[in-house]
Amino acid sequence: MNKRALGDRGNSLVFTLLAALFSSCLLLLFFSESFLDSFALFFINPLTNRYYLGNMIAFMVPLIVAGLGISFAFESHNFNLGGEGQIYAGSFAAVLAALALEEKPVLMIWIVSFAAAAAAGGLIGALSGILKRRLAVDELISSFLVSSIVVLLVDFCITGPFQDPSSNFQATKAIPPAATLPKLLPPSSLSTGIFAALLVSFIGKFILARTRFGFELRLCGANKDFARYAGIDEGLYALVPMLLSGALHGLAGALMVFGSYGRMLRGFSSGVGWSAIAVALIARNNPIALLPAAAFYAYLDAGSKSVMMGAGVSPEMVGIIQAVIFLFITATRLSFFRLPGSSLRSALQDRAADRRKP
Amino acid sequence: MSWLDTATGILASALAAMTPLLLAAAGGLFTELAGMLNIALEGLMLAGAFFGFAAASATGSLSLGILAGALASSAIAWLYGSATLRLKANAFITGLAANIFAPSITAVLSASWFGTKSVVALPIPEPARIFQKSFGKLPLLGGVLFSQHSLSYLSWILAAGAALLLYRSVLGTRIRATGARAEAVAAAGFKPDSYKLAAIVLSGFFCGIAGASLSLPLGAYVPNMSSGRGWIALVAIYLGNRRPGRTALACFIFALAESFSNYAQGQFGIPSEFILAIPFAVTLVALSLGTSVKSE
């Protein structure tokens, strides 16, 4: 990769973030009654209001942990699109474990529940890895399909056999209050889970950057043929990153339940998996960069929630902003409209890109 | 005779269920043959369903509804295609953008136009069952074939038209050539990217009609009413080995599975979550079998 390409990637990130902010403003302008009021609600309220600030940081927790899961998969060139189902199944497994161990010591509940969450998510992720190795099924499609099925099955369990009979919500019973993570900024849902997320991202950085496993994983992602000639078992790296990725998604779900929700509500984590992909893309799969990326994303999310409460704008706005991010985040060239001479320049860029290819 | 009635009933609803699948697959065939992975079919269908319904309810005309759905979806496809080709972005991620954009923009517009983000049901004209009166009384297959509404027949004509366009026209030949050997197209003095963009916009056009064929016969727009059909259409193309005839056959098989599971739901009281999971499960199994057959 040469300097020019690196510069383009940096520009594209700045451009993407600006496009996201710009489209947010545009949407406020179109869909709110008073632009200035909603502007303040969107951009300032999340930072000054204790409730929104706490919820914003709380939302960073699953984004960081699941985003790390995406990074592990994407760095090894495995496309895990099953995050939605892995998060949902992971949190369900954690709740089941916590409910089964109700009377046991808190530490034991934590260990078993989080292990169950990681196992559930990991198994679902690994299934796509196995399908890829054995039957050459594209993991990009299979992980999405498996996840869609899993979400529906968990929905069935929550509203059927495991529904809390004493509640009107479509939800399971609450986990033992003692087992929930301590709250940091009441009344918001921020808990000590944020420290776990920070720790996980540093461990992830260490594994990717400083271990043999991380090195081989990145090598398989960068150039599969080269990795094979170097004697690396590439089949292993089709499976293990998917397993790890799924396990981290499961963990993210468990952290949401233990940190914020205290029970499984139907659809409570809907959209978190896709958001984690956006965050990992903004962070370019760098575990440390996940922190500011998640903060930026959670800020936009908190802003749209605040403006929804205060000015009656739809929460789907955040979906549009997310789409804008996805549209531009992988751009490797920035001349959307043809400027004079730009087609020549892009032709030269293309040729340079071709020459860079192996 | 009741089992026979059941069988013809399932078959008739399978043909109705095939309509959106066939149209979406026809659209997806353009991008597939142009050598692109187009996962945006799902979102493009949803946009077609919403804008088609909104236009039909505003004008009271089904044809204008279909046209509006096709144009709105083509516009989104153009945006998605331009980002992918001009900015050289990852087609999968931009496709994801389109799939996230469609349900969001429809929800926002639905709230602002119809005052609700859930089901919108407004009186619009019902698509005519044009052959019902003259041929609908024919026994067995006759009744099945001629009891469909006009959108189904339109989908058959359009699907055949798409195949003709791809295989018997200059544009189609160049689109396929772009997919097979983009360098050759460039060497012949044409721009491969222009033909790719044309393929994407055409896929948007067909997906828009596919979406309209979901909402217009129902007389309502339901959020996320495409419910995975775009993905199934994509898999139908893979199973059909990118050939129009086989793809249509795969669409019919998926539609048969859908209508059978609907029947099973009514008959045996199976929870709706399991029914909703069937298309994804069938797709997964078909994909596993399909690729293992291909690799042998």
Side-chain angles (χ1 to χ4, degrees):
Chain A
M1 178 150 315
N2 62 19
K3 223 176 186 173
R4 158 105 221 175
L6 275 177
D8 268 2
R9 294 186 74 180
N11 285 340
S12 125
L13 181 60
V14 173
F15 181 74
T16 305
L17 300 184
L18 286 178
L21 289 175
F22 177 72
S23 53
S24 321
C25 290
L26 209 63
L27 286 166
L28 288 180
L29 204 55
F30 273 117
F31 291 106
S32 68
E33 273 145 28
S34 150
F35 177 70
L36 277 183
D37 287 353
S38 7
F39 188 87
L41 278 172
F42 192 95
F43 289 106
I44 300 172
N45 199 33
L47 300 178
T48 53
N49 180 314
R50 188 183 163 93
Y51 177 73
Y52 285 107
L53 183 66
N55 281 353
M56 173 184 134
I57 303 173
F59 187 45
M60 284 172 63
V61 174
L63 290 182
I64 292 170
V65 179
L68 183 68
I70 292 297
S71 304
F72 269 109
F74 282 13
E75 274 294 279
S76 59
H77 220 261
N78 288 295
F79 292 95
N80 179 12
L81 295 188
E84 289 282 308
Q86 291 153 9
I87 292 171
Y88 209 40
S91 36
F92 186 55
V95 166
L96 287 189
L99 289 177
L101 298 173
E102 209 148 1
E103 304 296 317
K104 298 283 191 306
V106 169
L107 193 65
M108 184 175 164
I109 296 183
W110 281 349
I111 293 173
V112 176
S113 299
F114 283 95
L123 277 178
I124 296 169
L127 180 62
S128 295
I130 294 169
L131 281 174
K132 184 184 185 181
R133 271 180 85 173
R134 289 288 157 95
L135 298 172
V137 180
D138 201 340
E139 79 284 359
L140 185 144
I141 297 177
S142 80
S143 58
F144 169 80
L145 293 172
V146 172
S147 147
S148 308
I149 296 170
V150 165
V151 168
L152 288 162
L153 294 185
V154 174
D155 270 347
F156 167 75
C157 291
I158 294 176
T159 54
F162 293 96
Q163 168 146 30
D164 179 5
S166 65
S167 153
N168 290 327
F169 292 116
Q170 294 189 316
T172 61
K173 273 195 249 175
I175 61 173
T180 54
L181 300 173
K183 292 273 193 290
L184 289 180
L185 208 60
S188 80
S189 60
L190 180 62
S191 73
T192 49
I194 186 70
F195 301 123
L198 294 178
L199 184 69
V200 165
S201 83
F202 282 107
I203 296 174
K205 176 72 182 174
F206 179 79
I207 292 177
L208 270 182
R210 295 261 181 268
T211 64
R212 186 197 170 103
F213 171 76
F215 175 72
E216 293 189 348
L217 184 153
R218 283 183 292 129
L219 200 60
C220 283
N223 190 333
K224 204 180 260 177
D225 295 327
F226 182 77
R228 188 167 53 237
Y229 290 133
I232 293 171
D233 179 3
E234 52 159 347
L236 186 73
Y237 288 95
L239 181 62
V240 177
M242 286 299 278
L243 182 120
L244 258 179
S245 180
L248 283 163
H249 278 90
L251 217 52
L255 281 168
M256 286 177 86
V257 168
F258 278 73
S260 308
Y261 292 84
R263 61 168 71 195
M264 266 307 266
L265 287 149
R266 180 179 185 150
F268 83 107
S269 65
S270 170
V272 176
W274 297 118
S275 307
I277 294 181
V279 167
L281 286 168
I282 296 173
R284 307 235 182 257
N285 302 336
N286 179 343
I288 300 303
L290 282 174
L291 307 180
F296 174 75
Y297 198 88
Y299 172 59
L300 289 184
D301 182 72
S304 63
K305 280 188 181 126
S306 141
V307 84
M308 172 184 72
M309 291 299 200
V313 176
S314 312
E316 278 76 12
M317 242 184 69
V318 79
I320 298 178
I321 299 165
Q322 199 178 5
V324 171
I325 294 177
F326 280 3
L327 201 57
F328 294 115
I329 193 70
T330 58
T332 51
R333 188 162 76 187
L334 286 176
S335 52
F336 190 75
F337 300 103
R338 243 169 251 223
L339 302 169
S342 72
S343 59
L344 176 68
R345 200 171 61 227
S346 67
L348 288 175
Q349 277 181 13
D350 288 352
R351 192 171 299 167
D354 283 344
R355 218 175 287 149
R356 254 181 274 130
K357 279 185 195 150
Chain B
M1 283 305 276
S2 79
W3 66 269
L4 201 61
D5 289 344
T6 310
T8 51
I10 290 177
L11 216 53
S13 67
L15 282 187
M18 188 175 77
T19 305
L21 280 182
L22 193 64
L23 286 165
L29 211 50
F30 283 99
T31 40
E32 265 306 319
L33 289 173
M36 283 175 299
L37 172 71
N38 184 356
I39 64 153
L41 301 180
E42 180 77 15
L44 294 173
M45 267 176 100
L46 194 66
F50 177 77
F51 288 102
F53 177 75
S57 73
T59 62
S61 153
L62 283 180
S63 322
L64 284 179
I66 295 171
L67 190 68
L71 291 181
S73 177
S74 305
I76 296 177
W78 177 83
L79 191 69
Y80 148 68
S82 305
T84 314
L85 298 167
R86 291 254 171 93
L87 303 179
K88 295 204 174 279
N90 180 322
F92 190 86
I93 303 297
T94 50
L96 206 56
N99 284 345
I100 294 172
F101 179 72
S104 312
I105 190 79
T106 49
V108 170
L109 289 178
S110 176
S112 116
W113 291 350
F114 302 114
T116 172
K117 277 185 295 186
S118 65
V119 179
V120 188
L122 290 168
I124 57 167
E126 224 174 287
R129 298 184 184 272
I130 40 179
F131 298 122
Q132 176 82 297
K133 219 170 184 179
S134 11
F135 304 110
K137 289 285 184 302
L138 289 175
L140 303 177
L141 278 183
V144 171
L145 278 178
F146 293 111
S147 64
Q148 304 296 320
H149 56 67
S150 50
L151 276 161
S152 291
Y153 302 118
L154 179 70
S155 79
W156 300 351
I157 296 167
L158 282 174
L164 282 179
L165 185 60
L166 272 167
Y167 285 89
R168 291 278 182 275
S169 77
V170 177
L171 176 68
T173 310
R174 286 183 189 158
I175 285 177
R176 286 184 300 124
T178 305
R181 278 200 88 98
E183 316 88 273
V185 174
F190 304 108
K191 289 183 184 148
D193 275 4
S194 312
Y195 290 99
K196 286 187 175 177
L197 190 59
I200 292 179
V201 172
L202 277 167
S203 81
F205 187 84
F206 278 84
C207 285
I209 302 176
S213 79
L214 281 172
S215 58
L216 296 183
L218 194 64
Y221 171 75
V222 184
N224 289 322
M225 70 189 310
S226 50
S227 60
R229 285 189 182 82
W231 293 90
I232 294 171
L234 202 59
V235 176
I237 295 170
Y238 287 145
L239 288 183
N241 227 342
R242 299 180 173 80
R243 306 268 280 277
R246 296 181 197 181
T247 301
L249 182 65
C251 287
F252 176 69
I253 292 171
F254 280 129
L256 201 60
E258 185 186 329
S259 101
F260 184 76
S261 54
N262 282 340
Y263 165 76
Q265 181 177 25
Q267 202 69 13
F268 309 119
I270 299 171
S272 64
E273 285 91 355
F274 289 102
I275 301 298
L276 287 170
I278 286 178
F280 298 112
V282 170
T283 308
L284 188 66
V285 171
L287 207 59
S288 309
L289 295 178
T291 49
S292 64
V293 168
K294 229 178 273 170
S295 60
E296 269 160 20

